[in-house]
Each structure stands twice: as C-alpha cells, then as structure tokens.
Amino acid sequence: MADRRRGESPDTWDGTWAGEILDIIYGHYKEALDALPLEDTPALAPRLLAAGVCFGFADPVTNIIANTLSFRDPDPDGGAKNRKRKRKRKPKTANSTVEAARSREEILSKIVADGGPSPPEARTVAERSLEGLVSFLTTYFRYLSNWDALRYLSLARADLLVAVSLIQKDRCYRRRKDRLRICSPAVKTALKCAALSARQPNSDGFLDGCFALVSHINMITRNLSADQGFCRLTVQDIALLSRLLAKPVKLKKSDKPMDLVAKRFHDPEQEITASIEDVPGHLTESLRGLLMDRIKEHYLKAVSRFPMKDLQTHHHRGLVKAGFCFGPFDPVSNIIVNTVWYDTAFPASEEFEVDMISTLRNVESRSVNGLMALVRSCSPVISERKAMVYLLESNLDVWEAIQMAKSEGCDVSVCYGNGYKAAAKAAYHPIPEAYCEFVMQSLSAVTSTVRSLLQASHMLPPSEILRLSTLLSFPSVESLEPTIQLTQDALNQIRKYKEDFLTQQSFAHRKVEVALRNYEQSKGCSYDLGVICGVNDSVGKELGIFDTKFEYTHANFWASQDDGTTTLFFAEFSNDEDSNYEPFCYPVCGLPMEVRCCYCEYQGIRIVHPVENCWEGASGFEKIACGEQHFTHAEIVSRAELIDNRLGIFAQDYIYLDPAHDAKLIQSVNNAERVMKLDINAEMRRMKSALAAGHYPQQPSILV
C-alpha cells in the first residue's frame, strides 16, 4: 500500500479493520470462483491468483473476473495445450462436479491467509487487493489516513467506488469539479499506485483492462448479474468478455461507473447501509485540511483582484496581517475589504516593496479558525466538526452556514456582535477591538456601495482600490501604541529573517523571470510578471548530508497581459545557482484535486501544479507506493495535520512586524527569543558539566 517501504509491515494489518475487510474480500473471491468455468478453462485459476485483484471501477466480484481475464498468460504454448485439453474433455458427471467444487476450495485456500498476514513478498491476491484498495483511497484523497481508509472500506464492504462515494459525501463534495471523474489524472495516478502496491505482475496491462471495463461496464455487469448473485459463466461468455476487455478504450457518456454505485450503496444483499452519519466525528483534521484547500482558492482569487503593483508596494502587508475572509460579504470580497481597511486604518510606519509572498498559510489558517468561531458563536450546540461541515457545504459562506444549522433544528441566535468578537479573537487579529468597531459600526454605512464596487470578478483598477480605501477611511479608529520595545536579541533575529527573505526573494524572482520569458518565446506572447504567491524550496533530494538545500523549488506566480488578463502560473527551477537546469512554467487554475505533489504536501505548502506530467514529484506517489521515497504517506498526513493547526510566530510575522501597532507581537517575539536563549545557555552548561565529568554526551543523529 502507499504508506510503507518495501520489507516493512504496513499498518494496513494493524487493528481489527483489516481482518474484517479480508473476511469480506474472501467472500467476493468465493463468488468469483463460483462464476468462473474453471473445469473448462483451468488456465483461469493461475491468472486469478496472479492478477485477479478485487479493485477497479466495477463491484468487487466483477473486478476479480475482469482483472483475471485482462491478465495475459505469459506462456502462450501452455494456453494452447489447455485449449487442446478442453476439446478432449469428457461430459460432466456427478463425480466431475464434486471434483470441480474441490478444485475451487483448493484455489480458495490459496487466497485465504491463515494465521495472520503473510510476509509482504508472499501476500495472497486477497491481501494484495486490500493493499491496493487502501493505496487508491489514500492516494486519491488528500489527508486520508490508512485507518480512516480501512474504516470506509469496511463500511463499503471492500467496494472501492462505494468507499469513494462515502468519502465524497462525508467531505461534502457538492461541486462537480470535486467529484471523482474516471479519466482524471488523479484517478489514473491513484489506480497506478494501487497496482504497484498490490504488486500486479503487469501494472500497465491492468490499467488498460480497468479502463476497457469502463467502456463496457453496463453490458458486462448485465451479463454477469443474476437474480441470486453472479451467474455461472460459459466458455463462450469468457471468450466474449475477453474480447471486450481487449478492445481499445472508447468511453461513452452512458457508461459511468459512479451511476451504478447508488444501487450497490443501498443493496440489501450487499448489506451496505453506510452513510455520512456512520462516519466517526474524529475525522475533524481531514475536514480542516479540506477547508484550508477551499480557502486557498478564495485567497488566490482575492490576490488576482488586486492591481499587481498596488499589491507589491502596499497591500501585501494588510493581506498577510489582517486579510481575513470573514465579514459581511462573500469570502473574496471580505479578504479585499479587510486588507484595504487595515492598510488604511493602520498604515505601515515604513513601507517596503516585495516581489514575493512566500506563503499565505498563516492568514489562511487563522481565517479558518475565525470562520468556525463565528459559526459556533451563534449556537452552543454546534460542534467543531459540524461547523466545518456547514462551511464546506456553503463554500465558506458563513451566513449560509448558519442558516443550514438553523434549518437542521439548531437554536441559532443573532450573533453579529459576539460572532465578530469570537472570530477576531480566534483568528489572532492584530487589533481585534478596532476590527470589531469597524465591521459592526463603521462599515454598515457604506456596505451597499462597497458591495457594488466589488461585484465584478475582474482585476480592480488602481482607481477603484483608491476609492475603496477612501470609503473605508474612518477617523474613529485609533492606533494602539506599544508599551514595550523590542529587545536587542529580537531586533537581531528580525534583521536575520528579513535578510533571508530578501535573499530568497531575489533568487526566486530571477528564476521565475527566466521561466516566464522561456514560456513567452515558446507561445509567442508577452506577460508582465506580478507577485510570486507561494514557494516551496524543498523539492526533490537533499543536495548533501550537511546541506539543507534541496534540488528544486516549486512556485506559483501571477502574470498579466496588456488587456489586463491575469494568469496564475506554476514554475519549477533548480536551487543551484550554477545548474544548467532550465526553469520552466505552465499556466494553472484554481487548486485542482486532479494533481498532487508529495513534496509540497509534505512541507504543508499549497502550490497549484499543472496537469502536465513534467515536474519533479509528478510521479512521487508512485515512488511512495513502491517504497522508493524517503517519506511515507502516513508522514505526509501527520505533518499536514500538524502544520495546518500550527499557530504562533512565523518568519513572515517577523518581516511585517510594525513597532507602531504590534504590541502583542513584540511581546511574543521578545519572549520567544528569551526562551531560545535560555535553552541554548542551559544546553551549553549541560555539555560543559558532562565534559568536566569525563562524559561525552551522545550527539543526535542528523539523519532523523
């Protein structure tokens, strides 16, 4: 499965879920064996044991049969001998029927693992099927742990697409673009990872067979189904199905595997009664990751609405510090309004221009906290998980989310005042009192004008941003002067962070500029480079044991054309100044579910990647499935949970620290530097004492 290295015991086999699912899978294999004409075509048995896994785009039994027939016999001569033997076969008798049943039991004994899981190299086809099922789900769905995948598979009775349907329901995938599409890159990648995890003898042939099945799935399902389960196939049926599965794929609109899921989902014979209510409430962390994905889309749209020059010279500060997505408008408009208001009400004591906003993760995470606090403040019975569900279903429209809670019987009160106070506190707004005064009192006088100004979806011209700033200038807002000063240690640390940021910015801007010019030459067009809005410089392998630099950087940036059209780009470039690796870029849109990058997810940085399979990490999850990556899927999930929930001081907070307004942040910075200095001094004293006593303390390994 996707989160284990070769030779290790995967945690698929931990706990009771795996045993329960394997028992279900064994039942599927018994049905498949009963349906296959093994006495007439004995060559099917070794093919089933080798490649007849139960996952694919049909129900498990149909998948077993189809995958068995799709697997080509590597010994064509042996197949010819079997065909000759069939012609000489004697008519069936009572004894031959008993013998056939005994033969099926013998084959089933090679599928059922007795006494616990087999060693990785000796897994049965049923065990390999379970690995493939888990691998597909964890590769296709972000933030899905192995344990959660196993629970869904148990509820779905090891039916892959039923499990997919369950997860989509639990994750509130109401938008069409979020739902599973068979031909999407994400599905192809997940299926390839499943095949690799299941050690399919011919993974490419397996993929071809799966997609061939899709194009004939209605016909094949009808042919295999009977009133009492699966019918016994004849040699002629096997020949027909084999020809269909060998045909080139021609997907038809009428052949949609997910359309057949609903019947299996509520089939009393299958005993599938799972629904969103059966999913445990502890899946909160994966829902938070989904909210962070959704909120990322809103921030990308908000950035694209700003004039690039205005954003780079002025509004980048307000965006990072106070550009939250909660307020009286839609999320994108709230981000713009809160950003412009903060820059207008609390102008920087010293402005500086940037070419790069390395990450918006901090303000995005705080926005999620604020949104949940705003929803929950209106009703004490709304749990954290339920608030996330409402926000996902409403696409982060907090007022629609509150109405959903009311329609489900929650006692919802009018919560504007308390709600905004709770949101500002949860989001660690730099000046919460001023924000609450602004949004609850001052803004109401110009709400309709602001809404009409922001109703278009195009980039706002500088004149409209200036008009918005004028509308949001309220003299009643007072600045909060700090009562403490930065210590010298804190000042030194801030200077270091700023120097590091400027160095990284200069390098990234130079590389992105080259990538964009290369793209212009290839397409015969012209762009003006805007702001770089996301950077991960930890892509690929580390360049050395003592060097923390990695091979490549992934970045997103905006660029505009003469007609005012702005385009989001993905860029990849080498981190080596002297490298001959040519930087390149591709236009991208949104935050597509179809593409995943293991390196960016491992670092917790949401970079939008192109569908084109041309960048480092495009096949990263396949390497994880083969055990060739230096981290596992489980580590990606656990790091994502840790990073998305992390609050506190980030490097970007140091960069934007303003002594005129950030009293709380100054105190936090001073305390952080004091604690760090105490820790270092204590460690030095400990080492000196150990050396004086003749002890040499063991150094921690750098290869953790």
Side-chain angles (χ1 to χ4, degrees):
M1 58 190 283
D3 66 343
R4 53 122 172 92
R5 299 180 175 92
R6 292 297 188 196
E8 293 183 353
S9 296
D11 58 4
T12 300
W13 312 106
D14 294 343
T16 60
W17 290 116
E20 292 182 10
I21 299 168
L22 279 173
D23 286 340
I24 295 169
I25 292 175
Y26 296 150
H28 295 323
Y29 276 98
K30 187 176 186 307
E31 284 192 69
L33 287 170
D34 288 341
L36 289 170
L38 297 181
E39 60 273 25
D40 296 321
T41 316
L44 290 176
R47 290 166 66 179
L48 184 149
L49 294 174
V53 290
C54 74
F55 56 85
F57 299 131
D59 61 88
V61 178
T62 301
N63 288 330
I64 293 168
I65 295 172
N67 293 332
T68 297
L69 299 182
S70 296
F71 180 57
R72 298 294 168 248
D73 193 338
D75 181 9
D77 294 334
K81 293 176 182 177
N82 287 331
R83 286 191 292 273
K84 291 178 182 178
R85 193 178 300 120
K86 281 193 298 182
R87 296 191 192 100
K88 298 178 181 179
R89 187 172 298 276
K90 297 179 180 179
K92 293 181 182 179
T93 64
N95 288 336
S96 65
T97 302
V98 172
E99 184 178 342
R102 189 180 298 117
S103 175
R104 282 181 168 79
E105 289 299 324
E106 183 180 342
I107 296 169
L108 188 62
S109 69
K110 297 179 181 179
I111 296 172
V112 177
D114 294 326
S118 307
E121 67 279 358
R123 299 251 194 254
T124 69
V125 68
E127 292 174 313
R128 291 190 287 113
S129 290
L130 178 55
E131 291 195 77
L133 286 165
V134 176
S135 181
F136 183 99
L137 294 179
T138 55
T139 302
Y140 181 76
F141 289 104
R142 300 171 191 255
Y143 321 115
L144 187 70
S145 69
N146 287 7
W147 194 94
D148 293 335
L150 287 168
R151 183 177 183 89
Y152 283 117
L153 287 169
S154 178
L155 293 170
R157 296 189 60 79
D159 189 318
L160 178 61
L161 292 192
V162 172
V164 167
S165 181
L166 273 172
I167 298 170
Q168 289 182 161
K169 285 179 177 293
D170 187 48
R171 293 187 168 199
C172 311
Y173 281 7
R174 302 295 178 86
R175 303 183 303 175
R176 184 178 297 274
K177 70 176 185 176
D178 290 338
R179 297 174 186 173
L180 182 138
R181 294 182 299 107
I182 295 300
C183 289
S184 70
V187 169
K188 293 178 181 178
T189 297
L191 196 61
K192 180 69 176 291
C193 290
L196 294 172
S197 295
R199 298 175 179 83
Q200 282 296 83
N202 181 358
S203 58
D204 291 335
F206 165 76
L207 295 178
D208 291 339
C210 285
F211 287 104
L213 172 62
V214 171
S215 61
H216 309 291
I217 194 165
N218 288 328
M219 179 190 301
I220 292 176
T221 302
R222 284 195 301 269
N223 287 346
L224 291 177
S225 298
D227 293 336
Q228 301 297 324
F230 285 79
C231 61
R232 176 66 61 86
L233 299 172
T234 65
V235 174
Q236 291 74 23
D237 293 332
I238 293 296
L240 172 62
L241 294 176
S242 297
R243 286 195 300 271
L244 289 175
L245 294 171
K247 284 185 177 181
V249 178
K250 293 183 179 179
L251 297 182
K252 301 176 182 178
K253 292 184 178 179
S254 59
D255 288 325
K256 297 179 179 179
M258 293 303 291
D259 291 347
L260 302 176
V261 169
K263 298 178 181 178
R264 305 201 299 273
F265 193 83
H266 300 290
D267 186 352
E269 294 292 329
Q270 297 283 354
E271 298 179 357
I272 297 174
T273 57
S275 68
I276 187 173
E277 301 304 326
D278 296 319
V279 178
H282 74 269
L283 299 177
T284 304
E285 296 307 328
S286 62
L287 292 181
R288 183 180 178 86
L290 295 172
L291 276 175
M292 291 287 288
D293 284 350
R294 192 72 62 84
I295 212 168
K296 180 69 176 182
E297 294 184 56
H298 290 305
Y299 273 92
L300 287 173
K301 290 178 182 177
V303 169
S304 71
R305 300 285 309 281
F306 280 98
M308 284 297 129
K309 199 62 179 176
D310 284 23
L311 183 65
Q312 291 174 273
T313 58
H314 186 56
H315 293 299
H316 59 93
R317 168 183 171 268
L319 178 65
V320 170
K321 291 178 69 67
F324 300 110
C325 69
F326 48 79
F329 309 107
D330 63 90
V332 173
S333 296
N334 286 331
I335 294 169
I336 296 171
V337 168
N338 290 334
T339 297
V340 173
W341 166 77
Y342 185 81
D343 284 328
T344 302
F346 304 100
S349 57
E350 181 182 353
E351 289 192 351
F352 63 98
E353 184 173 347
V354 300
D355 297 318
M356 178 180 79
I357 302 173
S358 57
T359 178
L360 290 169
R361 183 177 60 207
N362 201 12
V363 69
E364 290 165 355
S365 181
R366 290 174 174 175
S367 279
V368 168
N369 291 345
L371 287 170
M372 289 194 296
L374 187 50
V375 172
R376 298 180 69 191
S377 68
C378 297
S379 177
V381 299
I382 300 176
S383 65
E384 182 176 305
R385 176 179 176 272
K386 200 63 178 178
M388 290 183 179
V389 170
Y390 290 140
L391 288 168
L392 284 171
E393 290 181 336
S394 66
N395 197 24
L396 303 187
D397 187 323
V398 69
W399 307 115
E400 183 180 340
I402 291 170
Q403 287 303 312
M404 287 180 180
K406 187 175 181 179
S407 67
E408 291 188 2
C410 294
D411 185 13
V412 176
S413 60
V414 178
C415 60
Y416 294 106
N418 292 334
Y420 283 126
K421 289 178 182 178
K425 181 180 179 181
Y428 291 89
H429 195 287
I431 309 176
E433 298 84 359
Y435 174 73
C436 289
E437 179 185 339
F438 158 69
V439 75
M440 288 187 292
Q441 299 178 24
S442 306
L443 185 58
S444 59
V446 294
T447 296
S448 59
T449 307
V450 171
R451 182 175 281 110
S452 63
L453 184 65
L454 297 176
Q455 65 182 358
S457 59
H458 57 75
M459 177 189 286
L460 297 168
S463 59
E464 292 189 9
I465 290 292
L466 181 60
R467 184 185 174 200
L468 181 62
S469 179
T470 303
L471 285 170
L472 301 179
S473 298
F474 302 107
S476 60
V477 175
E478 297 181 0
S479 175
L480 302 177
E481 294 292 337
T483 57
I484 57 175
Q485 301 295 321
L486 286 167
T487 65
Q488 189 59 47
D489 288 334
L491 281 170
N492 293 339
Q493 190 63 37
I494 289 172
R495 290 194 191 100
K496 181 181 182 304
Y497 274 109
K498 285 186 176 180
E499 289 172 1
D500 292 343
F501 170 78
L502 293 174
T503 300
Q504 184 191 34
Q505 174 182 259
S506 176
F507 178 75
H509 185 270
R510 190 167 62 254
K511 292 280 191 174
V512 165
E513 184 82 37
V514 174
L516 185 59
R517 299 307 161 229
N518 291 341
Y519 180 80
E520 289 175 333
Q521 291 178 9
S522 67
K523 299 298 182 180
C525 53
S526 178
Y527 286 89
D528 288 328
L529 177 59
V531 67
I532 301 169
C533 54
V535 177
N536 175 22
D537 59 2
S538 301
V539 177
K541 299 177 182 177
E542 289 186 76
L543 298 181
I545 295 177
F546 298 102
D547 193 345
T548 57
K549 188 191 298 184
F550 288 77
E551 289 181 289
Y552 306 106
T553 287
H554 285 175
N556 285 138
F557 66 91
W558 288 97
S560 58
Q561 293 179 285
D562 293 338
D563 61 358
T565 303
T566 58
T567 303
L568 181 66
F569 281 85
F570 164 86
E572 179 178 284
F573 50 85
S574 170
N575 290 328
D576 187 352
E577 288 276 12
D578 301 324
S579 173
N580 294 324
Y581 187 82
E582 195 68 18
F584 66 88
C585 63
Y586 278 91
V588 291
C589 60
L591 191 68
M593 302 299 292
E594 286 84 0
V595 184
R596 295 184 65 182
C597 173
C598 62
Y599 296 110
C600 291
E601 291 185 29
Y602 186 68
Q603 297 298 329
I605 301 176
R606 288 170 171 82
I607 302 291
V608 185
H609 297 75
V611 174
E612 289 82 1
N613 192 11
C614 60
W615 37 273
E616 180 67 23
S619 60
F621 281 91
E622 295 175 20
K623 292 181 179 179
I624 291 176
C626 295
E628 297 173 358
Q629 192 58 272
H630 67 274
F631 48 79
T632 66
H633 171 267
E635 289 169 341
I636 292 177
V637 172
S638 61
R639 281 175 61 90
E641 292 178 359
L642 177 65
I643 292 170
D644 284 345
N645 283 281
R646 187 174 64 187
L647 294 172
I649 302 172
F650 288 74
Q652 216 164 41
D653 294 319
Y654 286 106
I655 296 166
Y656 288 102
L657 188 146
D658 191 337
H661 307 299
D662 295 331
K664 292 181 180 178
L665 183 57
I666 290 172
Q667 185 176 10
S668 298
V669 173
N670 286 342
N671 290 338
E673 292 306 314
R674 179 178 59 80
V675 170
M676 184 181 296
K677 189 173 182 180
L678 286 174
D679 289 345
I680 293 174
N681 289 338
E683 182 64 16
M684 291 298 295
R685 287 194 297 271
R686 186 187 70 81
M687 292 186 67
K688 286 181 179 178
S689 299
L691 290 172
H695 301 299
Y696 297 90
Q698 182 179 2
Q699 297 299 312
S701 171
I702 59 173
L703 298 175
V704 178

